[in-house]
Amino acid sequence: MKKHTQRLATGLTAAVAALALAACSSSSESADPIASSASSDEPKGAIAMGFATSEIQIWNDQLEIMRPIIEDAGYEFLTDDPQFDINRQVASWQAWVNRGDVKAIMGYPVSTDSVVPVTEVATEAGVPVLGYLLTWDGVAAATIVDSYEGGYDLGVSAAEETAETAGADATITVATFGGRDTEFGALAMDGLAEGFVSVMPNAVITELSTITREDGYNFTKSQLTADPDTHVWLGASNDTMLGAYQALLDSGVAVDDPDYYVASRDATNEVLDLIKIPDSIYRTSIVVPAQALAEANAKLLIDAAEGVAVTDITVPSVFVTAENADEFYVAE
């Protein structure tokens, strides 16, 4: 039976319970994200959520969950797709402010420094700005995930299982996928590497700068050419690891090859399907459930839109394995 670290909660129930506690403590005035607006049928304006791209599936999952919550609260829900173009993203945010009816904006910027001026403009116009995973000057509050801890625990889990067969002193190559453009991403990458070498100190960490599934596929092909004996593949996001997984299969690796270990932070329905394959090389994921993230986002946005004081909401991570994967599917 596969072993996994016990430092994180082990089920969706724990994550949602912790979120509920955090949400309640963040505002005693509005424990229910839609309660304060349920008594009025009058249009209340709009609420906007701006991710950096539509290419990240877990972000799309959150938008689908958030939409009915925000619309039931009486607001129009606005989103955009800047496709990692910071100028387009800033223009979208400025357009939201210019509308005059947008009551709150939340986002994950392509570049935090670049959205500081538009954040200042929004705040001066009475539109609070909230962060998703990231914070910057002018942000009223944010949905927070401990990216380092999640990466560290994923690295430890992978190393513990690898050490069972290779030995803790073995010199092996570990490929890690992610980016350092933001503090969140950099901390996740640090956690993956430091968690693994805390168990297998002689491991050689090869860091690959990736964002999309295509990146994951192409960099895996390149890494296999450079070092065909790379058997451990860890990612800061599931999108890149889905690309890595496919590249491994296309290179002749069997879906249940016991010598390979693939794992990621985040897990969409597609990843859950792979984890559930008997003896899958896609062993596990550290996931912050899309449902819990979406509920935290919606609560912060609605509270901010209605003038309720907001503070950060920290959403806990959980381990996903074949045994509990069914708990984390997002309805389609």
Side-chain angles (χ1 to χ4, degrees):
M1 181 176 180
K2 297 174 182 176
K3 297 191 298 183
H4 299 279
T5 180
Q6 300 299 310
R7 281 187 292 277
L8 298 181
T10 57
L12 179 58
T13 301
V16 174
L19 171 61
L21 179 60
C24 289
S25 64
S26 71
S27 174
S28 60
E29 297 180 54
S30 180
D32 182 343
I34 64 173
S36 61
S37 54
S39 61
S40 174
D41 294 328
E42 293 296 320
K44 294 190 168 187
I47 281 174
M49 183 78 183
F51 286 118
T53 182
S54 64
E55 296 180 33
I56 306 301
Q57 186 56 46
I58 192 170
W59 291 351
N60 295 328
D61 291 344
Q62 289 177 65
L63 293 176
E64 290 304 308
I65 296 167
M66 291 171 64
R67 184 173 299 281
I69 299 174
I70 288 170
E71 291 179 348
D72 287 349
Y75 296 94
E76 180 184 0
F77 187 39
L78 307 175
T79 63
D80 68 339
D81 180 14
Q83 299 178 347
F84 291 115
D85 184 331
I86 186 57
N87 294 321
R88 289 178 60 179
Q89 187 170 45
V90 169
S92 290
W93 290 25
Q94 184 64 62
W96 289 336
V97 175
N98 292 344
R99 278 176 54 125
D101 67 338
V102 173
K103 305 302 182 182
I105 296 171
M106 188 176 204
Y108 184 97
V110 177
S111 163
T112 53
D113 290 342
S114 297
V115 294
V116 170
V118 71
T119 298
E120 183 178 352
V121 170
T123 302
E124 289 176 353
V127 181
V129 177
L130 304 150
Y132 173 82
L133 307 186
L134 307 175
T135 60
W136 57 94
D137 289 346
V139 168
T143 298
I144 299 296
V145 171
D146 190 331
S147 60
Y148 178 84
E149 181 183 40
Y152 188 93
D153 286 340
L154 192 69
V156 167
S157 177
E160 287 177 343
E161 192 165 336
T162 302
E164 288 181 355
T165 54
D169 295 329
T171 301
I172 64 168
T173 300
V174 179
T176 61
F177 294 70
R180 292 187 173 274
D181 292 342
T182 66
E183 182 181 14
F184 182 87
L187 287 172
M189 295 301 286
D190 288 342
L192 288 172
E194 293 171 15
F196 199 94
V197 298
S198 72
V199 177
M200 298 187 69
N202 296 324
V204 177
I205 307 297
T206 299
E207 184 173 303
L208 305 173
S209 181
T210 57
I211 298 176
T212 66
R213 184 185 298 216
E214 183 179 9
D215 290 339
Y217 186 94
N218 292 334
F219 276 85
T220 298
K221 286 288 193 177
S222 297
Q223 177 62 22
L224 288 172
T225 299
D227 186 351
D229 292 328
T230 305
H231 289 168
V232 180
W233 308 79
L234 308 177
S237 79
N238 62 270
D239 290 270
T240 55
M241 298 318 293
L242 283 167
Y245 177 88
Q246 189 60 52
L248 289 172
L249 298 191
D250 290 350
S251 300
V253 177
V255 296
D256 57 355
D257 190 322
D259 293 332
Y260 284 81
Y261 192 108
V262 179
S264 64
R265 287 185 50 85
D266 293 336
T268 57
N269 291 358
E270 185 177 2
V271 170
L272 298 175
D273 288 342
L274 299 181
I275 290 175
K276 290 172 63 177
I277 294 172
D279 300 316
S280 176
I281 63 171
Y282 210 125
R283 306 295 185 91
T284 187
S285 177
I286 292 278
V287 62
V288 182
Q291 183 76 35
L293 288 167
E295 290 177 358
N297 297 341
K299 175 173 176 54
L300 284 174
L301 278 165
I302 294 170
D303 280 353
E306 299 186 350
V308 177
V310 291
T311 57
D312 294 350
I313 297 179
T314 299
V315 185
S317 301
V318 295
F319 259 111
V320 180
T321 66
E323 288 74 23
N324 68 349
D326 286 339
E327 298 179 38
F328 301 94
Y329 277 90
V330 174
E332 296 179 339

